[in-house]
Amino acid sequence: KRLIRKYGVESTEFVFGKEYGIDYDEFVNGTYLLVPIEEHGVRHDDRLQTMLQNIEIPKTVLTNNPSEFARKILKSLGVEQFFEHVVGSREMNYKLKTNRDAFLRAVDITRSNPKTTMFIDDIPEFHQPAKELGMTTVLIGSRNRQEKKDYVDYEIERIYELKQILKGE
């Protein structure tokens, strides 16, 4: 926490690099990219691939993790080709999705309009800054539901239900 305050960031890979002289790429390659994601259930997903293929709007991944790690996951799922941008911690200037600045940076990178953007995530707290910018918000997973928050527009159990929201059902 001291180092995060010292550097004015929220992401550990930046802090370790600055404080201990560890190169960002070296840190990511020696930690995140060594995670055996298949052991955590990340596998090719034909159903997700079909769904994304049929949603003809630009798609971006916004992650608190390094974008390299997100790309590894997308590739394992077989869906990397459906995302125009992957915006990770480095691209967000080491801010997290609880921080409005992370969203502003993502909007800048993707050249998107928050008023026509849908933010989908399974962490309730991440929805508030997105909603403040005018995004439509979708919370995934009943285990993540708390009391109804005014910054969550839709709630779905699984990502596959997104098509229903997009169709207006």
Side-chain angles (χ1 to χ4, degrees), residues 136-161:
T136 299
T137 58
V138 180
L139 178 64
I140 299 178
S142 61
R143 73 184 190 292
N144 300 313
R145 293 184 183 135
Q146 303 165 347
E147 68 230 32
K148 179 70 173 156
K149 303 289 185 187
D150 60 354
Y151 48 82
V152 173
D153 296 309
Y154 298 96
E155 296 178 6
I156 57 177
E157 188 62 34
R158 299 181 48 106
I159 190 65
Y160 309 109
E161 298 168 33

Side-chain angles (χ1 to χ4, degrees), residues 45-121:
D45 188 334
D46 289 328
R47 187 174 174 196
L48 181 61
Q49 189 175 31
T50 300
M51 184 191 84
L52 291 172
Q53 186 174 8
N54 291 315
I55 297 174
E56 297 179 5
I57 55 175
K59 293 171 273 305
T60 295
V61 170
L62 178 64
T63 178
N64 288 336
N65 293 304
S67 54
E68 298 89 342
F69 184 59
R71 283 188 187 92
K72 178 179 178 178
I73 292 170
L74 294 172
K75 185 174 184 174
S76 291
L77 291 169
V79 298
E80 64 184 324
Q81 69 274 23
F82 301 114
F83 294 90
E84 291 184 22
H85 300 277
V86 177
V87 180
S89 55
R90 177 169 34 185
E91 293 84 8
M92 292 187 300
N93 297 323
Y94 305 99
K95 301 293 182 188
L96 301 178
K97 289 187 278 187
T98 51
N99 188 317
R100 180 182 170 111
D101 291 341
F103 285 90
L104 290 172
R105 183 73 182 121
V107 164
D108 184 51
I109 290 169
T110 62
R111 299 176 189 252
S112 58
N113 177 351
K115 305 266 188 251
T116 60
T117 297
M118 181 178 283
F119 175 72
I120 306 158
D121 204 287

